[in-house]
Amino acid sequence: MLWLSVFFVPAFGMRAFGSRKASNEMNLLLSYPFLPIEIVLGKWLGGLCILCQVLFLTFPMVITIGVLGKPDWGVVMSGYIGGFFVLGLMYAVAILASAIAKDEVSSFLLGSCLLFALIFLDVDALKISALPDFFEQITRHTFVASPAHWFAEFTSGKVGFFAALYFMILTAICLWLSSYQIDGYRRTSYVLM
């Protein structure tokens, strides 16, 4: 699910702010009496609702598995909770990429690269013996920064406090950086084209 989402979610989020910068829609949006964090949260919540509907469309598969076998429903529910947290974080990163980039294509590329880098922190390929000892010691601890590591906790049937806290903190940081970028557009009183 994670590797597919690396390309799907930025493609979904690349139009959050990207196309509005080229036209004068961003200037109109910033002229309203909304705070930048309200604009970003509104876009994030709207997109998250659509992504949750996409996640809910996988539920007939769960019903089929329930009819054919005896799944552990606790693991199924914790997997859905983890999927919700992962989609929320990935969409927040996609909104951040859209707020930073000038157009939609660069927003997609930046969002995909950011998500790929976050997920790749958990890959065991980083633990190559050809790396110097200093880098090898660092790569032994980078898995903690990866959403793949924390999502694995949800898929094992545990809804951990620290896993949920990781997703909430990283999502809040991405949304705050997005609102900071949008506030920068407001302070300069023009949108870069």
Side-chain angles (χ1 to χ4, degrees):
M1 177 185 148
L2 288 177
W3 292 105
L4 181 64
S5 300
V6 167
F7 299 108
F8 171 71
V9 175
F12 180 69
M14 70 183 181
R15 296 197 57 161
F17 295 111
S19 64
R20 284 159 179 74
K21 291 178 200 168
S23 66
N24 285 329
E25 289 180 39
M26 188 63 123
N27 290 333
L28 179 64
L29 182 64
L30 293 176
S31 68
Y32 293 132
F34 298 125
L35 296 173
I37 191 69
E38 292 172 340
I39 295 169
V40 171
L41 279 176
K43 291 209 177 265
W44 181 72
L45 287 173
L48 188 62
C49 287
I50 294 172
L51 289 172
C52 286
Q53 290 173 358
V54 171
L55 183 64
F56 182 72
L57 289 176
T58 63
F59 199 73
M61 185 171 50
V62 173
I63 293 172
T64 304
I65 292 172
V67 169
L68 297 176
K70 295 180 181 177
D72 185 0
W73 293 107
V75 173
V76 171
M77 290 310 297
S78 68
Y80 272 102
I81 292 169
F84 170 76
F85 279 124
V86 167
L87 287 176
L89 171 64
M90 288 188 168
Y91 192 59
V93 170
I95 285 180
L96 175 62
S98 180
I100 292 172
K102 290 184 180 181
D103 59 354
E104 294 173 3
V105 175
S106 59
S107 169
F108 170 74
L109 293 174
L110 179 63
S112 295
C113 289
L114 286 174
L115 290 174
F116 182 77
L118 269 176
I119 291 175
F120 193 71
L121 290 173
D122 192 32
V123 176
D124 288 333
L126 290 175
K127 300 174 184 168
I128 300 172
S129 62
L131 291 174
D133 289 335
F134 175 72
F135 291 117
E136 189 176 342
Q137 294 296 325
I138 291 174
T139 59
R140 289 186 182 161
H141 304 290
T142 57
F143 70 93
V144 177
S146 174
H149 169 71
W150 297 105
F151 182 64
E153 186 173 327
F154 282 106
T155 58
S156 67
K158 296 182 265 179
V159 179
F161 173 74
F162 291 110
L165 188 65
Y166 165 81
F167 284 112
M168 286 189 279
I169 287 174
L170 203 54
T171 301
I173 288 171
C174 290
L175 293 175
W176 178 78
L177 288 173
S178 300
S179 68
Y180 184 76
Q181 181 71 25
I182 299 301
D183 190 41
Y185 292 139
R186 177 176 280 167
R187 280 186 270 125
T188 56
S189 73
Y190 67 91
V191 177
L192 299 175
M193 292 186 180

